[in-house]
Amino acid sequence: MSDKKKLAVWKFASCDGCQLSILDCEDELLLLADQVEIAYFPEATKTIIEGPYDVSLVEGSITTPHDALRILEIRKNSNLLVSIGACATSGGIQALRNYLNVSKYVNAVYAKPKYIQTLETSTAIADHVQIDYELRGCPVNKYQLLEVLGSFLNGKKPTIPDHSVCVECKLDGNPCVAVAKGMPCLGPVTHAGCGALCPHYYRGCFGCYGPMENPNTTSLASYVSKNGLADGDVLRLFRNFNSASPQFSNESKRYETAK
Amino acid sequence: MSKSEVHKYRVSTEDLQQIFKALSSKDYQNIGPIQRDGAIMLEKIQSFDQLAAGFHEDLDKGVYRLSQKNDGSLFQYTVGPQSFKKYLYPPRRKLWAATKTGNGFNVEEGDQPPAKMAFWGIRSCEIRAIEILDRIFLRGEFSNKWYEKARQDLFIVAAGCTKPSGNCFCTSTQTGPAPKGGFDLSVVEVIDKKNYFILEIGSEKGQKLVNKIKLQPASPAEIQNADKLLAASEKKMSKRFDPEEAAKILMENPDHIHWNEVAKRCLSCANCTLVCPTCFCSSTEDITEITGDHTERWLRWDSCFNGDFSYIHGGQIRPTTKSRYRQWLTHKMSGWYDQFDSSGCVGCGRCITWCPVGIDLTEELLAMKS
Ligand code: SF4
Ligand code: SF4
Ligand code: SF4
């Protein structure tokens, strides 16, 4: 038996993009496989080694009664549980259902709705079990993922700053698209991690990493609204990959009347 | 001709080009304002033609717009989001790295400071800002060695501001608009049928550089034209306050009700501190390879608006946006006097322009007065 730490990767309601970020590590993936025993990772290997696991990475949100039970089992079986990505940390894009009637969707989408068992809401892993660490992003940034795993293996605190995307934007030398082009940008209220990818390509930030440490969504929303952004657009600004995070959710509700 | 006039020359764009070439041939890396993605950015340039030409700006609180004319002008805008600080104190740099060996580890050197740099078109306020950085970083035994080296062989070509932006207030901070010392060469651009510049030599280094270039002394009328432009520029700046009075008011009003008001608007995004030519806060970060065999220590700009920045054992010292904004403004405009013998603000207006919700520190100061 190896004395390597056992790593498990679990999937809930998600697009698999975050798991792909792990596979996307390529060169580092071999190093990772050297350091840990990949005990459960169906997307990558058929081998299944039984728990308990030293680290569980959890992708996806909880959307079915079955999954709500499954996550309890995983928690019991894991020493460290890290939720990865917007779905796992805030409910993901599928949390848009939280604002509407799910049975309507089910009836519209499925030929035989009676076979579908689903919850009214899509919720974050932390809403169901205690988590040890959350890694944000839609999808997660592979370097941050390696930083989290590497820190766990080497006994240090991961270097994952929770300040705004604006900090990354300025450090990278992008002229601000909000100020220089008048585009609505979620950067000032969004958690860093992407390296200000969208502003770098002349787009406002979409908020993939969810709320930053102390987001003032109300100030940003009222500023863009005062500058002519229609209420429906302000609402949509906060309703995408992290729409169910408490701060983005509350802000979007203020603009709901105008849908 | 009086003595001061002797040192002023009327030079053409072509003459400046000669100066640019002379600097290159003396191994200076020329760095200057170029236009990129709708803003004036400061970048390393290989040829004089790369300098932003014909650009004019229209700035307001939280608003920056550039337009271009066919007037061949070079310095008819003020400052963009960056300052030359980024070359003296870069946003990110590797301090050192360590690699495991059999029974210990090897320490490797980090990034090395640049050798000779020439800053083009630097404004008076920013020369004063560099002097402030000097007081912060050059402290004998405790000097920042990287900064010291980067600063060592710096050539400064200043540009007088004849068209201040709506956000500039260097008349109040007494840091502009005419460059007064601290440069090697300085120009004031006069827009005319054929644009010309009034060149002033500010140092021996500057003199030596232009020795081989044939310069035409400026006529009294030409010098007067440039002086008039600078005087008019002073009048154009409408934001006014007294920095010493501001320093006092801020120190005396930590509990002013207005701090709550500004905190309602402030995003705590840190943009204001990152564009400021004098803000110097940084953090260090360790990046460890997954194998644990190699680790790097990096320095990166940080900000009093970031929660982690005031985190110590047990919690954050400044958990609220109110306490962070107050820290920033009070330190910059008041506490700085005790620490570094001046205000930390040189009136460049960057923090007003680049605040995504257009917060104007001069307005906040005035509000504290009541
Ligand atoms: S472009 Fe967006 S992320 Fe970048 S500084 Fe401006 S507001 Fe912040
Ligand atoms: S505080 Fe604002 S106006 Fe003053 S020097 Fe800094 S960026 Fe310029
Ligand atoms: S004053 Fe403006 S730029 Fe500075 S942290 Fe607040 S919102 Fe951001």
Side-chain angles (χ1 to χ4, degrees):
Chain A
M1 249 199 68
S2 98
D3 57 358
K4 286 189 204 164
K5 305 263 191 214
K6 276 157 86 180
L7 173 75
V9 183
W10 309 92
K11 176 185 159 60
F12 287 81
S14 62
C15 76
D16 288 30
C18 290
Q19 295 188 66
L20 281 176
S21 299
I22 306 175
L23 297 176
D24 192 31
C25 289
E26 294 172 0
D27 296 349
E28 297 90 343
L29 196 61
L30 297 175
L31 291 178
L32 178 67
D34 263 357
Q35 304 299 311
V36 297
E37 181 171 31
I38 298 182
Y40 181 88
F41 189 4
E43 177 126 348
T45 162
K46 281 195 190 126
T47 321
I48 292 181
I49 299 166
E50 290 211 351
Y53 305 100
D54 293 292
V55 195
S56 277
L57 298 178
V58 180
E59 174 199 83
S61 68
I62 305 296
T63 57
T64 66
H66 170 246
D67 278 355
L69 294 175
R70 192 159 63 98
I71 189 64
L72 300 179
E73 278 309 305
I74 292 171
R75 174 71 272 190
K76 270 193 225 150
N77 253 329
S78 313
N79 179 23
L80 208 73
L81 191 150
V82 181
S83 51
I84 59 167
C87 301
T89 58
S90 82
I93 191 78
Q94 60 273 28
L96 287 176
R97 70 158 68 170
N98 302 7
Y99 301 94
L100 289 157
N101 185 331
V102 170
S103 58
K104 265 197 198 160
Y105 277 135
V106 173
N107 288 326
V109 172
Y110 296 99
K112 295 218 167 9
K114 64 175 180 188
Y115 293 137
I116 303 298
Q117 265 197 334
T118 189
L119 296 170
E120 283 293 314
T121 54
S122 165
T123 43
I125 299 302
D127 292 336
H128 298 264
V129 295
Q130 174 135 22
I131 50 141
D132 299 292
Y133 201 81
E134 269 191 343
L135 187 64
R136 305 283 199 80
C138 186
V140 291
N141 171 327
K142 70 172 186 179
Y143 297 105
Q144 289 205 327
L145 190 63
L146 288 167
E147 170 64 16
V148 169
L149 289 172
S151 298
F152 161 69
L153 292 171
N154 293 296
K156 76 179 255 287
K157 183 182 165 219
T159 302
I160 308 283
D162 58 5
H163 53 55
S164 70
V165 170
C166 298
V167 174
E168 300 187 298
C169 200
K170 282 286 175 294
L171 262 54
D172 279 357
N174 304 324
C176 171
V177 299
V179 170
K181 297 198 162 64
M183 290 180 179
C185 178
L186 277 184
V189 296
T190 300
H191 193 293
C194 63
L197 195 58
C198 289
H200 187 82
Y201 291 101
Y202 330 115
R203 302 289 299 266
C205 163
F206 290 102
C208 303
Y209 283 61
M212 49 92 100
E213 176 241 347
N214 60 338
N216 189 346
T217 52
T218 305
S219 169
L220 186 71
S222 60
Y223 186 81
V224 292
S225 143
K226 221 173 55 204
N227 281 314
L229 197 67
D231 280 8
D233 292 333
V234 181
L235 174 119
R236 280 184 286 275
L237 201 56
F238 289 96
R239 288 248 174 113
N240 45 46
F241 321 105
N242 289 281
S243 74
S245 68
Q247 298 95 330
F248 285 8
S249 170
N250 289 340
E251 200 53 53
S252 71
K253 282 182 190 152
R254 283 190 247 273
Y255 293 81
E256 211 153 38
T257 45
K259 240 170 257 179
Chain B
M1 229 190 251
S2 79
K3 197 169 177 270
S4 65
E5 283 159 14
V6 182
H7 293 289
K8 292 195 176 173
Y9 302 88
R10 176 203 160 118
V11 302
S12 63
T13 309
E14 292 71 34
D15 294 329
L16 289 186
Q17 219 156 350
Q18 293 299 316
I19 294 175
F20 188 96
K21 281 194 188 137
L23 282 164
S24 298
S25 70
K26 289 196 176 333
D27 296 328
Y28 280 97
Q29 169 66 62
N30 285 303
I31 296 169
I34 63 141
Q35 189 276 136
R36 170 160 67 79
D37 306 334
I40 296 293
M41 307 301 278
L42 301 173
E43 291 187 1
K44 293 180 181 165
I45 46 178
Q46 315 317 325
S47 102
F48 187 83
D49 305 333
Q50 287 174 271
L51 287 175
F55 284 96
H56 296 257
E57 64 190 9
D58 189 5
L59 311 190
D60 204 338
K61 291 175 274 188
V63 178
Y64 180 96
R65 295 290 182 278
L66 271 188
S67 57
Q68 199 173 14
K69 284 189 200 159
N70 204 2
D71 61 5
S73 65
L74 282 179
F75 302 118
Q76 296 301 304
Y77 51 82
T78 58
V79 294
Q82 300 178 316
S83 68
F84 286 95
K85 175 180 85 176
K86 85 174 229 218
Y87 291 100
L88 296 170
Y89 191 64
R92 284 194 189 98
R93 95 182 135 91
K94 185 159 70 174
L95 295 175
W96 54 275
T99 304
K100 252 189 202 163
T101 57
N103 50 0
F105 58 90
N106 276 337
V107 174
E108 297 134 37
E109 275 195 82
D111 294 337
Q112 293 307 305
K116 303 163 84 177
M117 295 187 285
F119 291 170
W120 277 81
I122 187 168
R123 305 310 167 109
S124 174
C125 57
E126 213 173 319
I127 295 177
R128 303 283 88 86
I130 292 180
E131 287 170 0
I132 291 175
L133 292 179
D134 287 351
R135 293 202 288 279
I136 294 164
F137 290 127
L138 303 179
R139 305 183 143 233
E141 194 187 338
F142 303 109
S143 283
N144 180 312
K145 298 292 174 233
W146 206 98
Y147 181 90
E148 198 176 279
K149 261 188 125 179
R151 181 78 177 84
Q152 216 164 41
D153 209 344
L154 195 59
F155 194 97
I156 290 187
V157 185
C161 286
T162 54
K163 239 184 106 190
S165 83
N167 293 334
C168 291
F169 57 99
C170 62
T171 40
S172 293
T173 50
Q174 296 181 348
T175 49
K180 296 206 174 94
F183 55 79
D184 298 297
L185 299 174
S186 167
V187 295
V188 179
E189 184 175 38
V190 182
I191 302 297
D192 208 343
K193 264 172 257 139
K194 188 156 176 20
N195 300 346
Y196 62 91
F197 303 84
I198 299 300
L199 173 85
E200 193 182 329
I201 295 163
S203 72
E204 253 175 61
K205 203 157 60 169
Q207 182 67 56
K208 257 175 95 181
L209 191 92
V210 297
N211 267 347
K212 285 205 192 111
I213 302 169
K214 207 174 147 13
L215 296 175
Q216 174 193 338
S219 73
E222 284 161 351
I223 293 174
Q224 218 184 25
N225 280 345
D227 288 347
K228 266 195 212 148
L229 287 172
L230 290 170
S233 165
E234 258 182 59
K235 291 223 177 69
K236 275 186 220 151
M237 278 179 257
S238 56
K239 293 184 198 301
R240 303 260 153 166
F241 70 94
D242 171 0
E244 308 238 342
E245 188 197 19
K248 197 161 163 272
I249 291 169
L250 285 170
M251 229 13 131
E252 283 168 1
N253 284 291
D255 298 318
H256 198 289
I257 182 110
H258 188 73
W259 294 118
N260 298 326
E261 294 308 310
V262 63
K264 281 185 201 150
R265 296 169 61 212
C266 177
L267 305 166
S268 203
C269 63
N271 274 304
C272 47
T273 55
L274 299 168
V275 296
C276 181
T278 70
C279 275
F280 59 92
C281 287
S282 60
S283 283
T284 47
E285 289 177 341
D286 289 345
I287 306 291
T288 307
E289 232 171 51
I290 196 149
T291 55
D293 291 338
H294 181 78
T295 190
E296 295 182 349
R297 173 155 291 191
W298 285 72
L299 180 135
R300 72 158 167 84
W301 288 355
D302 208 336
S303 166
C304 48
F305 282 98
N306 295 340
D308 257 356
F309 190 64
S310 76
Y311 184 89
I312 54 163
H313 172 74
Q316 286 175 8
I317 294 176
R318 292 185 283 274
T320 61
T321 298
K322 172 185 163 183
S323 57
R324 294 180 200 174
Y325 190 87
R326 182 177 57 193
Q327 161 65 25
W328 177 60
L329 198 63
T330 311
H331 182 220
K332 177 126 300 202
M333 310 286 272
S334 188
W336 211 291
Y337 279 96
D338 300 326
Q339 247 181 315
F340 308 115
D341 303 321
S342 73
S343 165
C345 175
V346 296
C348 71
R350 283 184 182 87
C351 58
I352 305 172
T353 312
W354 299 98
C355 171
V357 290
I359 296 177
D360 175 343
L361 79 170
T362 65
E363 285 172 10
E364 303 312 317
L365 281 175
L366 292 177
M368 298 291 164
K369 243 173 127 168
S370 51

